[in-house]
Each structure stands twice: as C-alpha cells, then as structure tokens.
Amino acid sequence: MSRARILVLHPALGPLDYRVPPGMAVEPGSIVIVPIGPRQFAGVVWEAERLPTEEIGDNRLRAILAVADAPPIPAPVRRLIEWTADYYLAPPSAVLAMTLRTSAAFEAAPTITEYRATGEVPARLTPQRAQALERIGERQGLVRELAAIAEVSDAVIRGLVKTGAIEAVTVDTQAPYPLPDPGFAPPHLNPAQAAVAGGLRSAVETAAFQPFLLDGVTGSGKTEVYFEAVAAAIEAGRQTLVLLPEIALTEPFLTRFAGRFGCEPVAWHSGLRSSERRRAWRAIASGEAMVTVGARSALFLPYPKLGLIVVDEAHETSFKQEEGVHYHARDVAVMRGMFERCPVVLASATPAIETRHQVEVGRYAELKLPGRYGAAELPKIEAIDLIREPPERGRWLAPRLVAAIEETLKRGEQSLLFLNRRGYAPLTLCRHCGHRFQCPNCTAWMVEHRLLHRLSCHHCGHTMPTPSMCPECKSDDTLVACGPGVERIADEVATLWPEARTAIVTSDTLWSPAKAAEFVSRMEHGAIDIVVGTQLVTKGYHFPNLTLVGVVDADLGLDGGDLRASERTFQQIMQVSGRAGRGEKPGTVFIQTHAPEAQVMQALISGNAEAFYAAETDARREADAPPFGRYAAIIVSSEDKAAAEETARMIGRSAPELAEMHVYGPAPAPLAMLRGRHRFRLLVHARRSFAVQEVIRDWLGGLSWSPRVRVAVDVDPYSFV
C-alpha cells in the first residue's frame, strides 16, 4: 500500500492518512511512529473503510517514520476498540491508548535500568533524602517511579544514586514466563462442581462465543470450577484472561493459581513497575503469556489467541471506569468474547440485576452452585435493631455484638467488623463556632485519618495536617470528630479488648498486592484476632477460622438516592457475610441497622435472595430503569462556574424533543465541585431499544462551547454524583 490510514495516539485528532515509504511494509494492526507537527506519536494502521476521514492528495501526505518491532494489533481488538468508542461515545484514540498502555508496544529493549536502595545512609542526609529512603524501602523502579513513591523530585533520587545510597540494577525485560501446567494439581470436585466444570470445559473446547453466569453462593468453589475451564484453554493452546475488581486481590489470587497450575499467571495492574509492564505486554502480545490476571485495563490488551475470559466478582461496581472512557469492564468483556469467538464466564455470588436479566431473556447461560464446598455451611444472619439495642454512649458496637466478639475471642476464633468508611471520622467540626473542614477543591468534607495525623479528601486526594485549633474562631481543643470510620471502630476494639490483635484493612493499608499477601499470611497463621475493614475485605478471601462478622452500619449504603442503593447494600453485606464460617466451624453474622423491617434487611436475614431480586426487578421495570430502560449522563465542568452553568443550560435548551427519550436537568451535580471544577449534570432517559448514542452524538456534535469547559458523556452510569 502506498498510503495508510492511521489511528494516532493523540486525544484531539481523529484518523489521519500517511504515506508508506518505499520498502516499508505495513498492514492493518501494524504499530507505527508518525510525525504530527514537530513531534512524533505512536499509532496503529487501520482499515480505511472502517474509520472515515477527510482524504487529502498524495502530494500532501507525510511519511510514516518507522514500524514498531511488535506484533500487530489483532483484528478482534480493533473491532473492540471501534465498538467501545461508539457505544461509550469516546474518541477511538482514547480507547486505543488502553491497548498501547506501555512503551513496550514500540520499544523492544532487552534490558532496562532500575534503581533500589543499598542500605547505606549518605553523609549529608537532608529531610527529603531521609523521606525518600524511608518510603522506598525495598522497592525497586525507574528514577521517576521511586520519586513518585517517595513524593520527592527526580533530582533527590539522582542525588542518592551519586552518594551510593541507591544503586542501579539491570532488569531483563525479555525473560520468558513459566508455562502453567493444567495437570499440576487437579482439585477434587464434588458432583455439582464437576458438572459445572464439565460444561465450562466443553464450551472452551468448542471455541465458540457463549456468555455464562456462574452463580454460586460464597464458599461454593467458583474459583476451582472456572480453573478447570482455564486448564482446558491451556490444553488447547489458547490464552485466558481473568479480571479481578481490586488490585489487592491479585496477590492472593496468584498464590491460589500457583497451587493449582504450578506457577503464577502473568499479572497486569497499575501497581506494576515499567519493566514488569513491558515484559508482560510483550508476552501477552506474542501469545507467550497463557494466563493473565488483572484489573479492568487488562481487557484491552492485544491477546492474539484468546480462548477464555473470566470476570470474577462480576457484580462489583469497580469494574465501571469513572474517568476517561466510561466503560463497564463486565459488559465490554462480553463484547470481546463475541469478537474473539470464545466463552465468557461472569462469576458472582450476588449477580447484578442486569446480568440476571440477560439470563432470563436467554442471552446468557446460567450455571449454579447452590451449596458451600465440603462441610462448610452458610452463616446464620441476625439483625440488631440499633433503636431497641443501642450501643453505649460514645460507642458504635451494640452490646449483643460485643458479647459475640467476646465469645469468639474465647474460642480462639477470628472476627471481622465491616464498615465501608475509611479513616477515623467522616467529618471534623468545631464545637465552639460550628466550623466544618471542607476540601478546598471539592464539595466534600475532609476525612480525619488519625493514624496518619491528617485530614484527607477522598475525591481529589487533597491533604492537610490535622490542626490543633479551629481556623475560624482560633479556639483550642474544640475540634470534635463526628461519626465513625474504621479507625474509630478499631480504637473501640482496642479499648474493649486491649489484648486482641487487630488489623485495619482498607485501601490505605492494603495499597499493594504485597501488602494484601502479608495480611492474608497473618490471618492464615492466626496472628490476627479481629479485622476491621471496608469493602476491600468483602471479596475473595477465604479464612476458615473467621467465624463472626459484624456489620457496624448496614444502613450506610442506602443513602444518596442511587437507583442501585438497595442492590449494592444487599450485595455488599451478602459478600462480607460470606467471609464467616467458610471452614468446618459454623459462622454467625450480626447486622446493625436502624431499619430491620426494610426489605433489603429482611432479605438478608431470611436469606431469600430471589424474593429480594424479584421485588427490585419489578421496581426497575415499573420505572423503566436499567435493564429495561437506558440512562446516559452528560457532565459539564469548568473551573469557571458561570461558564459551566451557561454551557449546561445551552445543552439543555438544545435537547431534541423525542417521544422515546427524556432529558432532565441541567442541575448542579450532588458533588458540585470536584478537583477544582464546578459540575452540572443532565440525565438522559430512553427506552432500551432506542439508539441513544446516535442522538447524543448528533445533539452535542452540533454545539460548540468554550475550551475552558469540559463535556463528558457517561453511558449506562453507575455514579450519580
């Protein structure tokens, strides 16, 4: 070909045509380097008929500079990029960027130089150098990576290199990964598990597209079952992708996988160093990586021979990307399976209503595991009415829960207290003048983190030292913490049981796979008596000696008016309840609530999930809400409030009037300011069969607004703030 259409990694540009120099061979999928102005960008050669653009004469074309030494992006991945961009109204280049997430796509360097601490302390130890050495610890990485970890400049790290406190290390980025052995340690499956595993094996061997809902109660052995499908894919010489909702789950999963297949899979998540990312990307793109486990971004990697996709904990809302391209990994995984012609397994103990609906209409096949594995039984669930049985003044644990923890400690068993709120307290105020600490960048309160001696915004990351006096009235010792976070519950636990060994488990304490592995090891060896944690402990963990779960505030997730509030609360509490009694010892769950008569609480206590889901589904059908109707959010933001409001009103005034679609708003977003940007929202509600993307594309495409204003579209939104 003498000219090629190229999708360039430039957020403001669409596809562009380039000249192919004599002697250079490119094909659709080839990764190339092209010039744009004085700069160079990576891009991918595309089929011209699939990405139309304004064509220019051959004499005006600039030449492709180079073809990357990397495998081409396969056709199914290109189709996935097109579909994702079209469905979620995102620039194709932004979706492509998730496929080319690393320079490894166009750099084949066999080695890379990283740095690590030597243990030596420099003679001139400045505060910044001391901070860097303390925070780096045993970590290793590029200069910029270590600087980011230590929160210092690159110059500080380079200075430590010169003093000998940090040394250079050569890392081989082309070392082959060990191959998993499908026959290494086959599990002993009960009849129900064997039947389901056989069905999944057959689907993999057939090599045809079929979505499955693997619906099994907590502790039923879903992982062991879909591991048999993974084994079938390995035997067939095809790759497997397993998606997990949280980075903290990766390390425990790797250990579990190694026990079954003799080695760890290839990991892909944001915690990887550049060298690890480069090595993993090239192994995946070449087909060498037979099994990859990762976060949602792993979905867009260029597997050339994908034979199975597994979405574990498929109900998790963290699979929905809330920034950039607003995709839902669960749904995109199904589409990738269709393009790859391979089975997709959605595994969950509490499937989303949208997934259940797909089963009902016959698009997904359902595989059920109704009982726990072996002698384990589902825990007994009891409600504690906080109005009738309130905690003691100044405390948050009701007497019946306190007594149950006492008994559990006496038996030498482990307890878990669940509260989905990080930090010590969600609000700090002055009892003298009423001043409340609010984030300067967001419409949100600053959360006290007493362990770190700081106030923090959980939306933008802004932090400040915890003050000793009120900044408004200058009074000393008048600041009070309002409401509990996990740190405050941990303080109460320490007061009640000073001898008990307690662990706080949140994204602040388990911020890496290694930290998660350390926590798992301590739990398994009995080094922890009581865990106080957020939603991070609700998924994936198996601790046979954990027999008691206490939900500190079951009503917390019901606030805010979210259409999925009851469903999320049910899923979250069912998941955390499932941590109890997973071994031979029976488990008990106490749910502290102010509304024990509420439908969701009654469903949890009775264990009647089907009745709950039926009622929720009927309510959605009545409201024409997903999965029976469609929503799309239009979020307008700017540092200039007036500009954002005027743009939002202009978009609202120009909304098309259609019988199948209604537009609500604009209105200030519940989180009216985020990261220094004022926000207004419009909500589009349409029938399920209505082509809402096409209408929104034409609607917004005919408008113009100030470059200071950002307009984002979130199709199928999960967040309404």
Side-chain angles (χ1 to χ4, degrees):
M1 57 170 61
S2 60
R3 64 189 291 157
R5 184 147 301 167
I6 296 172
L7 184 57
V8 184
L9 287 182
H10 191 298
L13 297 176
L16 300 172
D17 285 350
Y18 283 85
R19 178 169 53 84
V20 181
M24 178 183 288
V26 297
E27 59 178 315
S30 295
I31 302 172
V32 295
I33 307 299
V34 297
I36 297 179
R39 301 174 62 191
Q40 297 181 6
F41 288 83
V44 172
V45 177
W46 223 267
E47 298 92 335
E49 68 276 9
R50 300 193 69 91
L51 286 183
T53 188
E54 180 183 355
E55 295 198 17
I56 61 175
D58 291 350
N59 61 324
R60 295 174 57 197
L61 295 180
R62 300 184 72 180
I64 297 172
L65 299 176
V67 181
D69 179 18
I73 302 303
V77 184
R78 302 198 301 276
R79 301 295 82 81
L80 183 75
I81 291 169
E82 293 167 359
W83 180 87
T84 304
D86 180 69
Y87 186 87
Y88 291 104
L89 298 174
S93 60
V95 186
L96 176 63
M98 294 189 287
T99 299
L100 305 182
R101 285 291 293 268
T102 171
S103 60
F106 33 91
E107 294 178 9
T111 61
I112 189 170
T113 301
E114 293 185 335
Y115 297 85
R116 66 185 179 196
T118 62
E120 296 183 16
V121 179
R124 182 170 166 266
L125 187 63
T126 64
Q128 281 195 314
R129 286 183 171 184
Q131 175 178 309
L133 292 175
E134 178 185 356
R135 295 189 180 181
I136 290 169
E138 298 181 357
R139 300 182 199 179
Q140 180 174 310
L142 302 176
V143 167
R144 67 171 183 271
E145 291 172 333
L146 296 184
I149 291 168
E151 297 182 354
V152 298
S153 68
D154 290 6
V156 173
I157 303 299
R158 297 191 187 281
L160 288 169
V161 173
K162 290 180 180 179
T163 67
I166 291 178
E167 64 181 356
V169 182
T170 300
V171 178
D172 183 358
T173 61
Q174 295 184 341
Y177 287 95
L179 294 177
D181 177 7
F184 180 76
H188 174 69
L189 302 178
N190 63 33
Q193 291 174 322
V196 173
L200 292 178
R201 267 188 164 274
S202 177
V204 171
E205 292 162 359
T206 303
F209 169 61
Q210 174 62 65
F212 291 94
L213 168 59
L214 178 54
D215 183 357
V217 299
T218 53
S220 60
K222 293 184 293 296
T223 305
E224 286 72 16
V225 166
Y226 72 64
F227 273 175
E228 295 311 291
V230 174
I234 296 170
E235 291 164 359
R238 304 190 71 188
Q239 294 170 290
T240 294
L241 166 63
V242 180
L243 293 179
L244 299 178
E246 296 279 358
I247 182 176
L249 293 179
T250 307
E251 195 69 24
F253 180 92
L254 299 183
T255 303
R256 202 167 177 181
F257 184 95
R260 169 63 179 88
F261 294 100
C263 68
E264 293 187 352
V266 176
W268 183 272
H269 51 73
S270 60
L272 296 179
R273 308 194 311 269
S274 291
S275 59
E276 295 171 322
R277 189 174 291 266
R278 178 180 297 187
R279 181 186 175 204
W281 192 96
R282 297 194 73 86
I284 288 166
S286 68
E288 171 203 334
M290 295 304 296
V291 182
T292 302
V293 56
R296 57 180 177 247
S297 61
L299 185 58
F300 290 91
L301 297 177
Y303 311 91
K305 48 182 182 179
L306 198 55
L308 174 67
I309 301 173
V310 177
V311 184
D312 205 351
E313 308 288 358
H315 62 280
E316 274 296 324
T317 56
S318 55
F319 280 125
K320 172 70 174 181
Q321 172 71 29
E322 296 294 353
E323 296 180 354
V325 181
H326 293 260
Y327 70 97
H328 198 303
R330 177 198 64 210
D331 300 335
V332 177
V334 173
M335 293 306 299
R336 175 136 201 193
M338 187 183 77
F339 292 127
E340 299 281 359
R341 297 190 178 94
C342 74
V344 181
V345 179
L346 309 180
S348 174
T350 53
I353 288 175
E354 287 86 345
T355 305
R356 286 172 168 265
H357 180 69
Q358 296 288 3
V359 171
E360 289 177 9
V361 299
R363 295 193 184 101
Y364 296 0
E366 185 177 35
L367 302 171
K368 293 187 77 72
L369 293 170
R372 282 190 159 180
Y373 182 75
E377 296 181 358
L378 290 171
K380 177 184 177 183
I381 301 179
E382 298 181 19
I384 297 177
D385 186 342
L386 292 176
I387 296 176
R388 295 176 180 273
E389 303 178 68
E392 293 181 17
R393 185 176 178 82
R395 291 188 174 175
W396 308 97
L397 304 181
R400 186 149 45 113
L401 178 55
V402 170
I405 296 172
E406 189 82 48
E407 289 298 318
T408 304
L409 287 170
K410 289 178 180 177
R411 294 195 304 267
E413 297 166 4
Q414 295 166 316
S415 303
L416 164 62
L417 294 174
F418 168 71
L419 177 64
N420 200 30
R421 187 183 274 153
R422 292 159 50 205
Y424 184 84
L427 171 65
T428 301
L429 58 77
C430 174
R431 61 171 171 258
H432 183 262
C433 71
H435 174 78
R436 301 182 177 197
F437 287 86
Q438 183 171 323
C439 175
N441 308 313
C442 307
T443 313
W445 306 124
M446 298 289 283
V447 178
E448 180 181 358
H449 286 254
R450 195 158 289 188
L451 294 177
L452 300 174
H453 308 291
R454 70 185 185 194
L455 300 178
S456 176
C457 174
H458 289 174
H459 297 283
C460 72
H462 177 77
T463 62
M464 59 182 286
T466 304
S468 58
M469 68 169 60
C470 174
E472 191 75 22
C473 66
K474 309 303 180 185
S475 300
D476 282 322
D477 299 324
T478 59
L479 301 181
V480 292
C482 300
V486 287
E487 292 178 14
R488 194 167 198 171
I489 301 303
D491 273 6
E492 185 172 337
V493 167
T495 301
L496 291 168
W497 303 284
E499 302 300 320
R501 298 162 296 177
T502 305
I504 299 174
V505 177
T506 72
S507 56
D508 299 312
T509 58
L510 261 62
W511 41 261
S512 72
K515 287 288 184 182
E518 179 187 344
F519 162 67
V520 170
S521 176
R522 291 175 63 205
M523 282 292 289
E524 291 177 341
H525 289 87
I528 298 173
D529 299 313
I530 302 174
V531 178
V532 184
T534 61
Q535 63 176 353
L536 207 59
V537 297
T538 66
K539 19 186 178 311
Y541 294 113
H542 177 80
F543 303 127
N545 199 40
L546 198 160
T547 59
L548 177 67
V549 168
V551 179
V552 177
D553 186 354
D555 309 326
L556 184 61
L558 295 174
D559 298 331
D562 187 342
L563 77 99
R564 297 182 177 89
S566 291
E567 182 189 13
R568 286 180 181 173
T569 297
F570 181 83
Q571 291 170 333
Q572 205 166 68
I573 296 178
M574 280 295 290
Q575 289 286 336
V576 74
S577 298
R579 300 314 107 198
R582 295 174 70 95
E584 296 181 359
K585 301 173 183 177
T588 304
V589 179
F590 288 98
I591 301 175
Q592 295 192 161
T593 174
H594 289 89
E597 71 290 343
Q599 182 188 60
V600 62
M601 300 304 165
Q602 288 297 312
L604 288 163
I605 296 163
S606 67
N608 194 347
E610 292 306 318
F612 169 76
Y613 276 113
E616 280 291 301
T617 302
D618 288 344
R620 299 266 191 100
R621 186 182 287 108
E622 183 73 20
D624 208 21
F628 306 101
R630 312 190 66 186
Y631 287 132
I634 300 175
I635 305 101
V636 182
S637 66
S638 175
E639 294 180 0
D640 182 340
K641 182 179 180 180
E645 184 172 11
E646 175 53 36
T647 301
R649 292 188 181 280
M650 179 261 292
I651 292 173
R653 287 193 300 268
S654 59
E657 295 185 9
L658 300 167
E660 300 91 344
M661 186 183 92
H662 301 281
V663 179
Y664 303 100
L671 198 59
M673 189 165 73
L674 179 65
R675 300 185 184 93
R677 301 182 68 86
H678 298 274
R679 305 166 74 243
F680 292 82
R681 292 177 65 102
L682 297 94
L683 183 65
V684 179
H685 183 200
R687 294 179 182 173
R688 189 70 202 171
S689 58
F690 185 67
V692 70
Q693 289 94 335
E694 185 177 330
V695 172
I696 294 175
R697 190 181 291 110
D698 292 342
W699 169 19
L700 298 183
L703 304 176
S704 61
W705 48 79
S706 166
R708 296 176 299 167
V709 177
R710 187 182 304 155
V711 178
V713 180
D714 184 1
V715 177
D716 301 338
Y718 265 59
S719 171
F720 291 84
V721 298

